[in-house]
Amino acid sequence: MTAHPGPVAPARGALRPVGTHQVRFTGGFWGQRQAVNGTATIEHCKFWLDRLGWTGNFRDPDASLRRRGREFSDSEVYKLAEAASWETGRPGGTDHRELLAELTALAAGAQAADGYLHTAYGRPGQPERYSDANFGHDLYCAGHLLQAAVAAARTGAAPELLQVACRVADHVCERFADEGFDGHPEVEPGLVELYRLTGERRYLDMAAKFIERRGHRSLPEHEFGWRYFQDDTPIRDAEVFGGHAVRALYLACGAVDVAVETGDDELLAAVVRQFGRTLARRTYITGGMGSRHLDEAFGDDFALPPDRAYSETCAGVATVMLAHRLLLATGDSGYGDIVERVLHNVIAAAVADDGRSFFYAHTLHQRTRAEVPSAEHEQLRFGGGQRAPWFEVSCCLTNVARLTASLGTYFVTEDDEGVQIHQYAPMTVEAAGLRLEVETAYPEDGTVTVTVVEAPAAERTIALRVPDWAGGGQHVERRVFAAGEQLRLELPVRPRWTFPDPRVDAVRGCAAVEVGPVVMCAESIDQEDGVDLDELQVDTSVAPENGAVKGRAIRPVELAWPYRDRTTTTERPEPIVVPLVPYHRWARRGASAMRVWLPTTPS
């Protein structure tokens, strides 16, 4: 079996992906984050995996009673391996081959003779393999291993991991040939990606079977309901994403992969339909997905309370993965808008500047000044509050790490005609016979300059996405380009008011401010003394400027009963200036309250 370094393009689709070696960030907003990820974050993840014994689970097969972590903790080791692979393979990345050799040896050493690999099940004293279809995560962990192995093989960073993964995939194909699936989708995209790399058709066929088996209420009944596990409605029949947000998004990624590889236009159209309605009715202004803390799930249409926004970081990663898959499949540049929104407002917010703490959930309204967690202790909770160094459920940091390490592949695509640039950063691009240099201070500034460094003696197309907030569409130029030519895109990056659909009851009568792709927020640390964020009203008749808006602080009359026949307030006599900061910058200066949606002054 031969590995194929570089990208392995889907069988069909309007656009082709590029490999990590084809895009190199040269600084800027994302270049700095990628550098921190490659050094601090990957190292930080390994430290905690070792400290808590999650890697140790692989070393001690007889210590079933001493196993550490939740049943899905193996997946964090695999996501770390994927992140380290992409980071090692990208131009200018940190070399993590030593770490990858260690992780590969751990996986290989814990693998059963028949290929099964999961440290929480099947050993002496442990539950039987696949004994918990809803929450066992056997196949979920396998999926992350497959994706890690594909990354390791494509980059050449740890090709030996591919043999471990193929044995896992062969076992899965044999064990689930006729029935069954996992309560947490993830193995589906892993199998398709492994198929693309190896050409083993049974991996694709198995992924397709898993997709079709869902939706018939065949998993054991649970108090969360079948929708939570993506088993209440066949994916072809659903109209919108529901249930557990990450599960829904991973399943959709797998469905797109299967649809593209098998030519199943009906399946692809179903995902397009569901994602479209989800974006229109169940998505936060930041691009965040999931409004229910109890079951980490989507709420009903327009049920988007800002102070209870769950918007898990992993759901943000999965949204980027799905939108990019649909971009490749359809060529619709609008999916690049979704990637941009999530990247700048969820992914950019998730990780601290030093790369060593992170948000699990992303509230849009922090009412109290949350305590800053200790850098020395694991956080048992996993929703709301400040960034923490680690959580009992720490799926998010390793997920962001693998996305960030491979981020260049989401910025650019190619086809037979030329290059499409969907996201903007200082970077070099080599695709479709072109070598380009992109210069920009985006998102702080809207000027994007593309310089042609090398070009073939044939016509090529260079397409630049125009974000929806700047009019939408693409700026396209096609000709025989010469070295030294420049293309310039001027995007109107300036503050603007944004108003919610009136059906979003929780923020009716409110407004938010956006600057280019960046959502802004008011943070308590910046306000005048004595100004409570919950007492603010802003004047939307005055355009926001210089990182601030005009408003006033309403002081309600304190009564024994908080309801009355009319509004009774005491207003400050003078308007106040309400400073704003990018949402992705909040909670980086200590404990603070924060809100994105600001009540407006009466008209």
Side-chain angles (χ1 to χ4, degrees), residues 104-123:
T104 299
L106 287 177
Q111 189 167 33
D114 65 352
Y116 179 82
L117 180 53
H118 194 0
T119 68
Y121 294 91
R123 296 172 173 178

Side-chain angles (χ1 to χ4, degrees), residues 145-367:
L145 172 61
L146 303 188
Q147 289 184 310
V150 169
R154 287 181 178 175
T155 60
E160 299 82 4
L161 189 58
L162 183 61
Q163 181 179 359
V164 177
C166 288
R167 291 184 62 210
V168 168
D170 291 342
H171 163 78
V172 168
C173 290
E174 180 178 350
R175 171 63 175 75
F176 292 92
D178 298 319
E179 62 179 358
F181 55 93
D182 196 299
H184 197 313
E186 163 59 16
V187 74
E188 298 85 355
L191 283 166
V192 178
E193 290 179 27
L194 190 63
Y195 157 73
R196 288 171 177 160
L197 184 72
T198 65
E200 291 288 347
R201 176 75 190 197
R202 58 182 166 169
Y203 301 156
L204 173 61
D205 293 341
M206 189 70 255
K209 289 178 181 178
F210 283 141
I211 295 293
E212 296 301 330
R213 287 173 187 170
R214 289 189 173 274
H216 303 286
R217 305 191 175 192
S218 54
L219 286 173
E221 189 171 3
H222 188 274
E223 62 179 320
F224 283 168
W226 282 289
R227 188 57 170 146
Y228 176 89
F229 302 102
Q230 307 302 306
D231 191 32
D232 67 322
T233 304
I235 192 168
R236 296 176 188 275
D237 300 333
E239 295 297 326
V240 66
F241 295 157
H244 188 279
V246 178
R247 283 170 163 85
L249 291 160
Y250 278 169
L251 178 61
C253 286
V256 172
D257 287 344
V258 168
V260 167
E261 294 302 326
T262 61
D264 192 335
D265 292 335
E266 178 191 45
L267 181 58
L268 179 62
V271 178
V272 168
R273 178 181 70 245
Q274 294 157 28
F275 194 36
R277 176 159 178 162
T278 301
L279 291 172
R281 294 168 177 250
R282 299 187 176 187
T283 303
Y284 283 101
I285 186 175
T286 56
M289 299 280 184
S291 60
R292 292 168 53 97
H293 280 243
L294 175 63
D295 47 3
E296 303 183 274
F298 289 98
D300 294 332
D301 288 353
F302 305 110
L304 296 165
D307 55 346
R308 295 299 297 160
Y310 200 63
S311 183
E312 184 184 337
T313 297
C314 280
V317 172
T319 302
V320 171
M321 291 167 55
L322 175 58
H324 188 66
R325 280 166 162 80
L326 290 173
L327 172 66
L328 292 172
T330 68
D332 183 348
S333 65
Y335 289 113
D337 294 334
I338 306 306
V339 172
E340 176 181 73
R341 182 170 294 275
V342 175
L343 285 180
H344 285 92
N345 299 295
V346 177
I347 304 306
V351 183
D353 290 339
D354 66 358
R356 298 180 184 275
S357 61
F358 63 103
F359 284 136
Y360 188 102
H362 293 261
T363 183
L364 274 68
H365 187 176
Q366 180 70 38
R367 292 182 178 273

Side-chain angles (χ1 to χ4, degrees), residues 414-597:
E414 63 182 340
D415 60 15
D416 292 339
E417 304 299 318
V419 174
Q420 303 82 37
I421 300 178
H422 305 284
Q423 310 299 331
Y424 300 114
M427 58 185 174
T428 60
V429 177
E430 296 184 19
L434 293 161
R435 183 180 178 197
L436 309 173
E437 288 187 357
V438 180
E439 296 178 300
T440 183
Y442 198 78
E444 288 81 9
D445 182 83
T447 300
V448 180
T449 302
V450 179
T451 301
V452 178
V453 178
E454 296 178 8
E459 284 192 345
R460 285 290 186 272
T461 297
I462 300 177
L464 309 177
R465 180 182 60 88
V466 178
D468 55 352
W469 52 264
Q474 290 181 301
H475 174 80
V476 180
E477 295 195 24
R478 178 173 177 79
R479 59 179 178 273
V480 177
F481 290 97
E485 283 192 67
Q486 290 188 331
L487 289 72
R488 185 180 297 269
L489 183 65
E490 297 285 352
L491 299 173
V493 173
R494 54 179 177 267
R496 64 188 186 278
W497 289 110
T498 298
F499 301 91
D501 187 299
R503 291 170 289 184
V504 184
D505 287 330
V507 292
R508 185 181 296 159
C510 295
V513 174
E514 297 181 85
V515 182
V518 175
V519 173
M520 306 294 284
C521 68
E523 194 170 6
S524 59
I525 198 170
D526 298 313
Q527 308 308 311
E528 295 180 15
D529 289 344
V531 172
D532 189 322
L533 293 184
D534 287 339
E535 298 172 353
L536 286 178
Q537 287 186 342
V538 294
D539 184 358
T540 58
S541 69
V542 179
E545 59 181 15
N546 299 323
V549 295
K550 297 295 179 63
R552 56 187 181 181
I554 302 300
R555 295 305 175 96
V557 175
E558 294 292 339
L559 299 174
W561 180 245
Y563 308 100
R564 57 192 71 94
D565 60 359
R566 62 187 176 86
T567 301
T568 305
T569 61
T570 300
E571 300 178 7
R572 284 193 173 188
E574 299 294 333
I576 62 172
V577 174
V578 181
L580 303 176
V581 296
Y583 175 74
H584 66 252
R585 295 300 309 166
W586 94 273
R588 296 182 189 271
R589 296 171 291 172
S592 66
M594 175 277 301
R595 65 184 304 163
V596 168
W597 289 106

Side-chain angles (χ1 to χ4, degrees), residues 19-32:
T20 52
H21 62 285
Q22 292 177 262
V23 178
R24 177 173 186 165
F25 293 140
T26 55
F29 188 91
W30 291 110
Q32 187 271 338

